Amino acid sequence: PDWVISGINRGGNLGTDIIYSGTVGAALEGCISGSRSIAVSLEGVERSPHYYEVAGEIVRKILSQDGVLELSENEVLNLNVPNLPYSEIKGIRTARVGRRFYEGKMWERHDPRGQRYFWIGASGYGHEPIDGSDCVLLADGYVTATVLKPCYYHETATKRVASKLEGLILAGVDEVSPVTSPVLEGNL
């Protein structure tokens, strides 16, 4: 396809949320498959009404403007829209990735197969006041646009640890017994 549009997600994908976001993940998958891709999220959905049509109109306007959105190969646009009427949105700003934090809780649950898993949720959240970040700009009423790439590789850090790791001799590896897991047994 010409474009992969992932979303409109119910809730923002801001700051470090992008690491585990399904909406951003689907856009990254589109990018990896060779399509230009956008992840779209509506922040502030705990308030009613929900302005999904505003987010849709913003995406339509962006895509209808020739030359406005020229993403290179391996680039994804992460778009976060405040849950506001169109007339109250201050504009669109490009943004750096911020950092959100949560008052987290963890719940033990069971999947349809009876396997135990843990759901990590949030009872409230905030963000660091990083100038120019998606979190700050969105809270100020702007649509935020951040270009992402599907690569977690950190070249500088990898080079820093290379000499220590590559010189490590794994003596006695043959003597180590495999670890068994009752959770994984029979589920592979």
Side-chain angles (χ1 to χ4, degrees):
D2 290 335
W3 284 96
V4 170
I5 311 294
S6 177
I8 300 169
N9 188 63
R10 185 178 192 274
N13 279 300
L14 300 161
T16 49
D17 292 348
I18 62 172
I19 296 168
Y20 45 82
S21 161
T23 305
V24 173
L28 288 167
E29 188 64 34
C31 170
I32 291 167
S33 298
S35 296
R36 295 177 293 174
S37 301
I38 302 175
V40 185
S41 302
L42 185 67
E43 171 67 2
V45 293
E46 63 279 354
R47 299 183 308 271
S48 289
H50 301 140
Y51 294 97
Y52 288 101
E53 71 282 356
V54 172
E57 179 61 17
I58 289 168
V59 171
R60 189 195 67 73
K61 282 190 173 206
I62 289 171
L63 292 177
S64 69
Q65 300 295 313
D66 287 337
V68 169
L69 194 57
E70 295 181 0
L71 295 175
S72 297
E73 189 176 333
N74 291 318
E75 294 177 344
V76 170
L77 183 69
N78 185 36
L79 198 67
N80 283 281
V81 180
N83 187 30
L84 297 171
Y86 195 82
S87 61
E88 293 180 28
I89 292 178
K90 294 180 179 178
I92 300 176
R93 295 290 181 267
T94 55
R96 61 189 291 182
V97 173
R99 184 165 187 268
R100 294 223 287 190
F101 50 86
Y102 297 92
E103 295 174 12
K105 291 187 177 182
M106 187 170 14
W107 295 271
E108 182 177 336
R109 296 184 177 174
H110 291 86
D111 69 17
R113 295 182 192 153
Q115 296 297 318
R116 183 174 70 157
Y117 71 94
F118 293 91
W119 181 266
I120 300 172
S123 58
Y125 58 85
H127 60 268
E128 288 186 13
I130 301 169
D131 287 338
S133 72
D134 51 5
C135 300
V136 169
L137 290 168
L138 191 77
D140 287 343
Y142 290 96
V143 173
T144 63
T146 304
V147 178
L148 308 173
K149 59 182 181 175
C151 180
Y152 291 112
Y153 174 62
H154 190 311
E155 184 175 2
T156 305
T158 301
K159 287 179 180 178
R160 186 179 66 240
V161 300
S163 63
K164 295 174 186 172
L165 289 177
E166 291 173 4
L168 185 65
I169 297 173
L170 300 177
V173 170
D174 323 11
E175 302 162 13
V176 177
S177 300
V179 176
T180 59
S181 168
V183 174
L184 296 178
E185 286 179 8
N187 291 317
L188 298 177

